[in-house]
Amino acid sequence: MPIPFIDLQAQRKRLGQPLEDAILEVVRSGAFIMGPQVAACEAALAQFGQAPFALTCASGTDALILPLMAWGIGPGDAVFCPSFSFAATAEVMPLVGASPVFVDVLPDTYNLDPAHLDAAIAAVKAQGKLTPRAVIAVDLFGQPADYPAIAAVAARHGLKLIADSAQGFGCTLHGKHPLHWADVVTTSFFPAKPLGCYGDGGAVLCKDEGLHDLLVSLRVHGQAVKSDIAGKSFDHDPKYLNMRVGLNARMDTIQAAVLLQKLTIFEDEIRARNAVADRYAQGLAGVVATPKVIDGGVSVWAQYTIETPQRDGLAAHLKGLEIPTAVYYPIPIHRQGVYSGYPTGPGGLPVTDAKAGVVVSLPMHPYLERDVQDQIIAAIRAFAGANS
Ligand SMILES: Cc1ncc(COP(=O)(O)O)c(C=O)c1O
């Protein structure tokens, strides 16, 4: 049997009948939109992510757009983000009319370089064409960005900080979730993510009640919310009072029901992912460059990404043995035609450019059996031995 890159069926079997019953319950109830599971899921996510407020939404991309809209970020504004990420991290800026400014990453963790961020913000300020408004840090491959340093830079320049934790939801730094430092944390529940649903889904976690209220409104066509109607009376349903231009960005009730089930085993799965990562690190030490996690950080290992100058040869060798691999990301965002016109920080992005040519990700999920992992490690060692 071919080795899966991510084994969602093993997880489904573990969750068993209660998962199927939870889905069927929604089907039978008919509450497909904003059923009670949505609020229950938001409460569970808030508790898990050490957040005062959690709002579910339709995708990790919507989760990024919503706070930008809430803060009124738009034309003439600059939002700083890494280029070594999935396109959605940068895509949301043009979607609201703003400009991404690409910042380099640190060579050991692939996460935003705080010194280059500082330099990029200073350069944009000096140029005076764009107004710096926010920073999006990404928890790439599952590990927390250097939030203490990034938050200090953002605060010094008076910028909002978004933690794009689409790949890292559940990661911690010194025992704290990214929201400890960020204004908002966004995540994606795309099925392959460490916490995934059975379709598209996302969430925004925040600390500020006023912001949360605004996000609630923006998620459903800018409908009137608590703060809009406080102290006023209406002779019609305020649901149809639209206070601002918003989106249809609701999470489906079925997805919330799936997430409620998956959250019951998520902590355990994070532990299992870390055990798999430890075994890879031991088995591959001295053969390829294995990932480094920031001091005090716990990764949720969305990807286990190694580096080798013979990346393409190794991937082809593994493919021949029916061992799947993937390259995240072969073309950094600032090198994609559609984004190549946006600014980068001073000196360009040499680390990002170099990493794109050497990274390759291996099968990683909580249910990777030891003998299968041994097979993968042996295949990599054999390739390295034959090509050294
Ligand atoms: C870093 C990052 N940000 C944002 C997203 C967008 O999430 P979604 O696919 O749920 O819209 C992804 C998804 O792959 C991602 O990896």
Side-chain angles (χ1 to χ4, degrees), residues 58-64 82 84-92 136-141 164-168 186-191 193 199-203 302 329:
S59 69
T61 308
D62 281 349
L64 287 166
F84 200 55
S85 181
F86 183 63
T89 302
E91 183 182 37
V92 292
I136 302 181
V138 175
D139 299 327
L140 202 76
F141 303 151
D164 176 354
S165 214
Q167 301 182 15
T186 66
T187 194
S188 163
F189 301 120
F190 181 83
K193 299 292 190 231
D200 279 309
Y329 293 90

mmCIF file of all heavy atoms in Angstrom, residues 58-64 82 84-92 136-141 164-168 186-191 193 199-203 302 329, ligand 1:
data_model
loop_
_atom_site.group_PDB
_atom_site.id
_atom_site.type_symbol
_atom_site.label_atom_id
_atom_site.label_comp_id
_atom_site.label_asym_id
_atom_site.label_seq_id
_atom_site.Cartn_x
_atom_site.Cartn_y
_atom_site.Cartn_z
ATOM 1 N N ALA A 58 -15.370 30.964 7.204
ATOM 2 C CA ALA A 58 -15.446 29.992 6.110
ATOM 3 C C ALA A 58 -14.098 29.438 5.658
ATOM 4 O O ALA A 58 -14.040 28.388 5.020
ATOM 5 C CB ALA A 58 -16.164 30.624 4.918
ATOM 6 N N SER A 59 -12.998 30.128 5.967
ATOM 7 C CA SER A 59 -11.676 29.652 5.534
ATOM 8 C C SER A 59 -10.593 30.432 6.276
ATOM 9 O O SER A 59 -10.873 31.483 6.883
ATOM 10 C CB SER A 59 -11.489 29.861 4.020
ATOM 11 O OG SER A 59 -11.400 31.254 3.740
ATOM 12 N N GLY A 60 -9.368 29.937 6.159
ATOM 13 C CA GLY A 60 -8.233 30.662 6.736
ATOM 14 C C GLY A 60 -7.968 31.959 6.006
ATOM 15 O O GLY A 60 -7.398 32.899 6.575
ATOM 16 N N THR A 61 -8.389 32.019 4.738
ATOM 17 C CA THR A 61 -8.224 33.253 3.968
ATOM 18 C C THR A 61 -9.206 34.317 4.466
ATOM 19 O O THR A 61 -8.820 35.466 4.711
ATOM 20 C CB THR A 61 -8.439 32.970 2.460
ATOM 21 O OG1 THR A 61 -7.595 31.877 2.087
ATOM 22 C CG2 THR A 61 -8.115 34.178 1.610
ATOM 23 N N ASP A 62 -10.461 33.915 4.654
ATOM 24 C CA ASP A 62 -11.430 34.866 5.223
ATOM 25 C C ASP A 62 -10.989 35.324 6.607
ATOM 26 O O ASP A 62 -11.200 36.485 6.984
ATOM 27 C CB ASP A 62 -12.817 34.225 5.320
ATOM 28 C CG ASP A 62 -13.546 34.208 3.984
ATOM 29 O OD1 ASP A 62 -13.065 34.870 3.038
ATOM 30 O OD2 ASP A 62 -14.579 33.529 3.879
ATOM 31 N N ALA A 63 -10.382 34.412 7.357
ATOM 32 C CA ALA A 63 -9.919 34.766 8.718
ATOM 33 C C ALA A 63 -8.897 35.902 8.662
ATOM 34 O O ALA A 63 -8.837 36.730 9.574
ATOM 35 C CB ALA A 63 -9.326 33.543 9.398
ATOM 36 N N LEU A 64 -8.100 35.945 7.599
ATOM 37 C CA LEU A 64 -7.113 37.029 7.436
ATOM 38 C C LEU A 64 -7.769 38.313 6.924
ATOM 39 O O LEU A 64 -7.391 39.417 7.317
ATOM 40 C CB LEU A 64 -6.012 36.593 6.457
ATOM 41 C CG LEU A 64 -5.002 35.561 6.977
ATOM 42 C CD1 LEU A 64 -4.200 34.969 5.817
ATOM 43 C CD2 LEU A 64 -4.061 36.179 8.003
ATOM 44 N N PRO A 82 5.797 37.614 5.484
ATOM 45 C CA PRO A 82 6.827 36.823 4.806
ATOM 46 C C PRO A 82 6.384 36.444 3.401
ATOM 47 O O PRO A 82 5.180 36.372 3.114
ATOM 48 C CB PRO A 82 6.957 35.583 5.685
ATOM 49 C CG PRO A 82 5.673 35.483 6.423
ATOM 50 C CD PRO A 82 5.123 36.864 6.551
ATOM 51 N N PHE A 84 7.843 33.606 2.185
ATOM 52 C CA PHE A 84 7.981 32.147 2.274
ATOM 53 C C PHE A 84 6.770 31.621 3.038
ATOM 54 O O PHE A 84 6.835 31.315 4.238
ATOM 55 C CB PHE A 84 9.298 31.788 2.975
ATOM 56 C CG PHE A 84 9.749 30.376 2.706
ATOM 57 C CD1 PHE A 84 9.912 29.922 1.409
ATOM 58 C CD2 PHE A 84 10.023 29.510 3.744
ATOM 59 C CE1 PHE A 84 10.328 28.614 1.150
ATOM 60 C CE2 PHE A 84 10.450 28.210 3.503
ATOM 61 C CZ PHE A 84 10.592 27.764 2.203
ATOM 62 N N SER A 85 5.626 31.561 2.319
ATOM 63 C CA SER A 85 4.359 31.159 2.930
ATOM 64 C C SER A 85 3.419 30.782 1.802
ATOM 65 O O SER A 85 3.751 30.921 0.622
ATOM 66 C CB SER A 85 3.774 32.329 3.746
ATOM 67 O OG SER A 85 2.557 31.955 4.370
ATOM 68 N N PHE A 86 2.217 30.346 2.190
ATOM 69 C CA PHE A 86 1.180 30.094 1.204
ATOM 70 C C PHE A 86 0.644 31.442 0.706
ATOM 71 O O PHE A 86 0.587 32.410 1.477
ATOM 72 C CB PHE A 86 0.061 29.265 1.841
ATOM 73 C CG PHE A 86 -1.029 28.896 0.895
ATOM 74 C CD1 PHE A 86 -0.783 28.091 -0.214
ATOM 75 C CD2 PHE A 86 -2.323 29.345 1.096
ATOM 76 C CE1 PHE A 86 -1.793 27.748 -1.093
ATOM 77 C CE2 PHE A 86 -3.348 29.008 0.223
ATOM 78 C CZ PHE A 86 -3.079 28.213 -0.873
ATOM 79 N N ALA A 87 0.260 31.492 -0.563
ATOM 80 C CA ALA A 87 -0.121 32.762 -1.198
ATOM 81 C C ALA A 87 -1.176 33.544 -0.423
ATOM 82 O O ALA A 87 -1.178 34.785 -0.433
ATOM 83 C CB ALA A 87 -0.627 32.497 -2.616
ATOM 84 N N ALA A 88 -2.062 32.837 0.286
ATOM 85 C CA ALA A 88 -3.160 33.525 0.981
ATOM 86 C C ALA A 88 -2.652 34.572 1.964
ATOM 87 O O ALA A 88 -3.313 35.596 2.178
ATOM 88 C CB ALA A 88 -4.035 32.508 1.717
ATOM 89 N N THR A 89 -1.479 34.334 2.556
ATOM 90 C CA THR A 89 -0.923 35.287 3.528
ATOM 91 C C THR A 89 -0.797 36.678 2.912
ATOM 92 O O THR A 89 -1.044 37.685 3.577
ATOM 93 C CB THR A 89 0.470 34.802 4.005
ATOM 94 O OG1 THR A 89 0.342 33.501 4.574
ATOM 95 C CG2 THR A 89 1.076 35.749 5.024
ATOM 96 N N ALA A 90 -0.402 36.737 1.644
ATOM 97 C CA ALA A 90 -0.212 38.030 0.973
ATOM 98 C C ALA A 90 -1.420 38.440 0.143
ATOM 99 O O ALA A 90 -1.664 39.626 -0.065
ATOM 100 C CB ALA A 90 1.014 37.953 0.064
ATOM 101 N N GLU A 91 -2.175 37.449 -0.305
ATOM 102 C CA GLU A 91 -3.309 37.700 -1.212
ATOM 103 C C GLU A 91 -4.346 38.635 -0.596
ATOM 104 O O GLU A 91 -5.007 39.417 -1.300
ATOM 105 C CB GLU A 91 -3.960 36.342 -1.511
ATOM 106 C CG GLU A 91 -5.102 36.348 -2.468
ATOM 107 C CD GLU A 91 -5.657 34.941 -2.612
ATOM 108 O OE1 GLU A 91 -5.698 34.198 -1.605
ATOM 109 O OE2 GLU A 91 -6.042 34.582 -3.724
ATOM 110 N N VAL A 92 -4.499 38.538 0.715
ATOM 111 C CA VAL A 92 -5.561 39.312 1.370
ATOM 112 C C VAL A 92 -5.296 40.815 1.325
ATOM 113 O O VAL A 92 -6.235 41.601 1.441
ATOM 114 C CB VAL A 92 -5.779 38.827 2.822
ATOM 115 C CG1 VAL A 92 -6.371 37.430 2.803
ATOM 116 C CG2 VAL A 92 -4.497 38.851 3.648
ATOM 117 N N ILE A 136 1.811 40.688 9.406
ATOM 118 C CA ILE A 136 1.289 39.316 9.501
ATOM 119 C C ILE A 136 2.483 38.383 9.683
ATOM 120 O O ILE A 136 3.322 38.249 8.777
ATOM 121 C CB ILE A 136 0.490 38.891 8.247
ATOM 122 C CG1 ILE A 136 -0.693 39.844 8.005
ATOM 123 C CG2 ILE A 136 -0.008 37.456 8.411
ATOM 124 C CD1 ILE A 136 -1.560 39.481 6.796
ATOM 125 N N ALA A 137 2.589 37.783 10.854
ATOM 126 C CA ALA A 137 3.612 36.753 11.087
ATOM 127 C C ALA A 137 2.975 35.401 10.793
ATOM 128 O O ALA A 137 1.775 35.227 11.014
ATOM 129 C CB ALA A 137 4.087 36.809 12.530
ATOM 130 N N VAL A 138 3.752 34.472 10.287
ATOM 131 C CA VAL A 138 3.216 33.150 9.935
ATOM 132 C C VAL A 138 3.911 32.092 10.797
ATOM 133 O O VAL A 138 5.126 32.151 10.988
ATOM 134 C CB VAL A 138 3.457 32.862 8.437
ATOM 135 C CG1 VAL A 138 3.020 31.438 8.074
ATOM 136 C CG2 VAL A 138 2.707 33.873 7.571
ATOM 137 N N ASP A 139 3.130 31.151 11.325
ATOM 138 C CA ASP A 139 3.706 30.033 12.092
ATOM 139 C C ASP A 139 3.977 28.905 11.095
ATOM 140 O O ASP A 139 3.264 27.882 11.059
ATOM 141 C CB ASP A 139 2.736 29.601 13.190
ATOM 142 C CG ASP A 139 2.464 30.731 14.171
ATOM 143 O OD1 ASP A 139 3.381 31.544 14.417
ATOM 144 O OD2 ASP A 139 1.341 30.802 14.696
ATOM 145 N N LEU A 140 5.009 29.105 10.286
ATOM 146 C CA LEU A 140 5.210 28.209 9.152
ATOM 147 C C LEU A 140 5.563 26.788 9.593
ATOM 148 O O LEU A 140 6.374 26.598 10.498
ATOM 149 C CB LEU A 140 6.299 28.751 8.213
ATOM 150 C CG LEU A 140 6.182 28.169 6.803
ATOM 151 C CD1 LEU A 140 5.046 28.814 6.025
ATOM 152 C CD2 LEU A 140 7.475 28.288 6.029
ATOM 153 N N PHE A 141 4.977 25.847 8.917
ATOM 154 C CA PHE A 141 5.173 24.410 9.147
ATOM 155 C C PHE A 141 4.755 23.982 10.557
ATOM 156 O O PHE A 141 5.042 22.865 10.973
ATOM 157 C CB PHE A 141 6.623 23.987 8.870
ATOM 158 C CG PHE A 141 7.095 24.310 7.468
ATOM 159 C CD1 PHE A 141 8.444 24.563 7.201
ATOM 160 C CD2 PHE A 141 6.202 24.360 6.402
ATOM 161 C CE1 PHE A 141 8.887 24.855 5.913
ATOM 162 C CE2 PHE A 141 6.628 24.649 5.105
ATOM 163 C CZ PHE A 141 7.980 24.895 4.857
ATOM 164 N N ASP A 164 -0.733 34.561 11.622
ATOM 165 C CA ASP A 164 -1.353 33.633 10.661
ATOM 166 C C ASP A 164 -0.923 32.231 11.081
ATOM 167 O O ASP A 164 0.144 31.752 10.714
ATOM 168 C CB ASP A 164 -0.897 33.962 9.228
ATOM 169 C CG ASP A 164 -1.444 32.974 8.203
ATOM 170 O OD1 ASP A 164 -2.068 31.974 8.605
ATOM 171 O OD2 ASP A 164 -1.226 33.198 6.988
ATOM 172 N N SER A 165 -1.804 31.617 11.886
ATOM 173 C CA SER A 165 -1.480 30.305 12.454
ATOM 174 C C SER A 165 -2.226 29.194 11.717
ATOM 175 O O SER A 165 -2.577 28.180 12.309
ATOM 176 C CB SER A 165 -1.820 30.318 13.950
ATOM 177 O OG SER A 165 -0.923 29.532 14.680
ATOM 178 N N ALA A 166 -2.438 29.414 10.413
ATOM 179 C CA ALA A 166 -3.138 28.410 9.596
ATOM 180 C C ALA A 166 -2.438 27.059 9.702
ATOM 181 O O ALA A 166 -3.076 26.010 9.713
ATOM 182 C CB ALA A 166 -3.194 28.853 8.143
ATOM 183 N N GLN A 167 -1.109 27.091 9.778
ATOM 184 C CA GLN A 167 -0.355 25.834 9.879
ATOM 185 C C GLN A 167 0.019 25.530 11.324
ATOM 186 O O GLN A 167 0.513 24.445 11.607
ATOM 187 C CB GLN A 167 0.911 25.927 9.021
ATOM 188 C CG GLN A 167 0.604 26.196 7.560
ATOM 189 C CD GLN A 167 1.843 26.247 6.684
ATOM 190 O OE1 GLN A 167 2.936 25.830 7.068
ATOM 191 N NE2 GLN A 167 1.684 26.793 5.483
ATOM 192 N N GLY A 168 -0.158 26.506 12.202
ATOM 193 C CA GLY A 168 0.399 26.355 13.543
ATOM 194 C C GLY A 168 -0.614 26.371 14.674
ATOM 195 O O GLY A 168 -0.209 26.454 15.840
ATOM 196 N N THR A 186 -5.208 34.012 13.426
ATOM 197 C CA THR A 186 -6.113 33.438 12.434
ATOM 198 C C THR A 186 -5.673 32.006 12.158
ATOM 199 O O THR A 186 -4.485 31.683 12.294
ATOM 200 C CB THR A 186 -6.086 34.236 11.111
ATOM 201 O OG1 THR A 186 -4.795 34.095 10.502
ATOM 202 C CG2 THR A 186 -6.376 35.712 11.352
ATOM 203 N N THR A 187 -6.636 31.174 11.791
ATOM 204 C CA THR A 187 -6.247 29.817 11.424
ATOM 205 C C THR A 187 -7.144 29.275 10.324
ATOM 206 O O THR A 187 -8.172 29.867 9.986
ATOM 207 C CB THR A 187 -6.216 28.875 12.646
ATOM 208 O OG1 THR A 187 -5.526 27.673 12.267
ATOM 209 C CG2 THR A 187 -7.599 28.514 13.139
ATOM 210 N N SER A 188 -6.693 28.152 9.774
ATOM 211 C CA SER A 188 -7.412 27.461 8.708
ATOM 212 C C SER A 188 -7.719 26.052 9.185
ATOM 213 O O SER A 188 -6.880 25.419 9.837
ATOM 214 C CB SER A 188 -6.526 27.383 7.456
ATOM 215 O OG SER A 188 -7.016 26.395 6.562
ATOM 216 N N PHE A 189 -8.910 25.573 8.838
ATOM 217 C CA PHE A 189 -9.247 24.181 9.138
ATOM 218 C C PHE A 189 -9.323 23.359 7.853
ATOM 219 O O PHE A 189 -10.068 22.375 7.795
ATOM 220 C CB PHE A 189 -10.565 24.109 9.927
ATOM 221 C CG PHE A 189 -10.520 24.876 11.221
ATOM 222 C CD1 PHE A 189 -11.409 25.917 11.459
ATOM 223 C CD2 PHE A 189 -9.581 24.573 12.194
ATOM 224 C CE1 PHE A 189 -11.369 26.628 12.647
ATOM 225 C CE2 PHE A 189 -9.523 25.279 13.388
ATOM 226 C CZ PHE A 189 -10.426 26.311 13.616
ATOM 227 N N PHE A 190 -8.594 23.788 6.828
ATOM 228 C CA PHE A 190 -8.443 22.974 5.601
ATOM 229 C C PHE A 190 -8.107 21.549 6.067
ATOM 230 O O PHE A 190 -7.338 21.373 7.014
ATOM 231 C CB PHE A 190 -7.313 23.588 4.756
ATOM 232 C CG PHE A 190 -7.059 22.886 3.461
ATOM 233 C CD1 PHE A 190 -7.832 23.167 2.350
ATOM 234 C CD2 PHE A 190 -6.037 21.958 3.344
ATOM 235 C CE1 PHE A 190 -7.602 22.509 1.144
ATOM 236 C CE2 PHE A 190 -5.795 21.297 2.147
ATOM 237 C CZ PHE A 190 -6.586 21.580 1.044
ATOM 238 N N PRO A 191 -8.679 20.523 5.414
ATOM 239 C CA PRO A 191 -8.561 19.155 5.957
ATOM 240 C C PRO A 191 -7.132 18.700 6.303
ATOM 241 O O PRO A 191 -6.945 17.942 7.253
ATOM 242 C CB PRO A 191 -9.157 18.297 4.834
ATOM 243 C CG PRO A 191 -10.123 19.202 4.151
ATOM 244 C CD PRO A 191 -9.543 20.588 4.220
ATOM 245 N N LYS A 193 -4.684 20.442 7.475
ATOM 246 C CA LYS A 193 -4.036 21.189 8.558
ATOM 247 C C LYS A 193 -4.013 20.327 9.831
ATOM 248 O O LYS A 193 -4.809 19.398 9.967
ATOM 249 C CB LYS A 193 -4.806 22.493 8.839
ATOM 250 C CG LYS A 193 -4.867 23.440 7.655
ATOM 251 C CD LYS A 193 -3.503 24.004 7.324
ATOM 252 C CE LYS A 193 -3.585 25.114 6.309
ATOM 253 N NZ LYS A 193 -2.679 24.939 5.161
ATOM 254 N N GLY A 199 -13.812 20.021 4.993
ATOM 255 C CA GLY A 199 -14.097 20.961 3.925
ATOM 256 C C GLY A 199 -13.281 22.197 4.229
ATOM 257 O O GLY A 199 -12.199 22.097 4.811
ATOM 258 N N ASP A 200 -13.796 23.362 3.888
ATOM 259 C CA ASP A 200 -13.096 24.605 4.238
ATOM 260 C C ASP A 200 -13.624 25.159 5.546
ATOM 261 O O ASP A 200 -14.805 25.018 5.874
ATOM 262 C CB ASP A 200 -13.292 25.642 3.122
ATOM 263 C CG ASP A 200 -12.335 25.418 1.956
ATOM 264 O OD1 ASP A 200 -11.119 25.301 2.212
ATOM 265 O OD2 ASP A 200 -12.800 25.345 0.804
ATOM 266 N N GLY A 201 -12.738 25.820 6.268
ATOM 267 C CA GLY A 201 -13.138 26.459 7.523
ATOM 268 C C GLY A 201 -11.981 27.271 8.061
ATOM 269 O O GLY A 201 -10.831 27.096 7.647
ATOM 270 N N GLY A 202 -12.288 28.192 8.959
ATOM 271 C CA GLY A 202 -11.224 29.005 9.562
ATOM 272 C C GLY A 202 -11.732 29.626 10.844
ATOM 273 O O GLY A 202 -12.894 29.434 11.244
ATOM 274 N N ALA A 203 -10.844 30.363 11.518
ATOM 275 C CA ALA A 203 -11.248 31.048 12.755
ATOM 276 C C ALA A 203 -10.349 32.250 13.005
ATOM 277 O O ALA A 203 -9.203 32.290 12.533
ATOM 278 C CB ALA A 203 -11.185 30.089 13.948
ATOM 279 N N ALA A 302 2.833 20.832 11.190
ATOM 280 C CA ALA A 302 2.005 20.746 9.982
ATOM 281 C C ALA A 302 2.822 20.075 8.875
ATOM 282 O O ALA A 302 2.293 19.336 8.048
ATOM 283 C CB ALA A 302 1.571 22.133 9.544
ATOM 284 N N TYR A 329 7.929 26.001 -0.164
ATOM 285 C CA TYR A 329 7.219 26.447 -1.334
ATOM 286 C C TYR A 329 8.237 26.615 -2.452
ATOM 287 O O TYR A 329 9.263 27.259 -2.215
ATOM 288 C CB TYR A 329 6.515 27.779 -1.047
ATOM 289 C CG TYR A 329 5.403 27.546 -0.028
ATOM 290 C CD1 TYR A 329 5.668 27.650 1.325
ATOM 291 C CD2 TYR A 329 4.144 27.174 -0.457
ATOM 292 C CE1 TYR A 329 4.649 27.390 2.249
ATOM 293 C CE2 TYR A 329 3.123 26.933 0.472
ATOM 294 C CZ TYR A 329 3.382 27.022 1.827
ATOM 295 O OH TYR A 329 2.415 26.756 2.740
HETATM 296 C C1 LIG B 1 0.002 30.096 6.051
HETATM 297 C C2 LIG B 1 -1.385 30.007 5.488
HETATM 298 N N1 LIG B 1 -2.186 31.084 5.535
HETATM 299 C C3 LIG B 1 -3.440 31.054 5.059
HETATM 300 C C4 LIG B 1 -3.967 29.905 4.493
HETATM 301 C C5 LIG B 1 -5.335 29.953 3.916
HETATM 302 O O1 LIG B 1 -6.218 29.041 4.496
HETATM 303 P P1 LIG B 1 -7.487 28.495 3.656
HETATM 304 O O2 LIG B 1 -6.991 27.542 2.645
HETATM 305 O O3 LIG B 1 -8.321 27.823 4.724
HETATM 306 O O4 LIG B 1 -8.181 29.675 3.084
HETATM 307 C C6 LIG B 1 -3.172 28.756 4.426
HETATM 308 C C7 LIG B 1 -3.723 27.523 3.829
HETATM 309 O O5 LIG B 1 -3.089 26.690 3.270
HETATM 310 C C8 LIG B 1 -1.847 28.797 4.927
HETATM 311 O O6 LIG B 1 -1.040 27.738 4.867
#
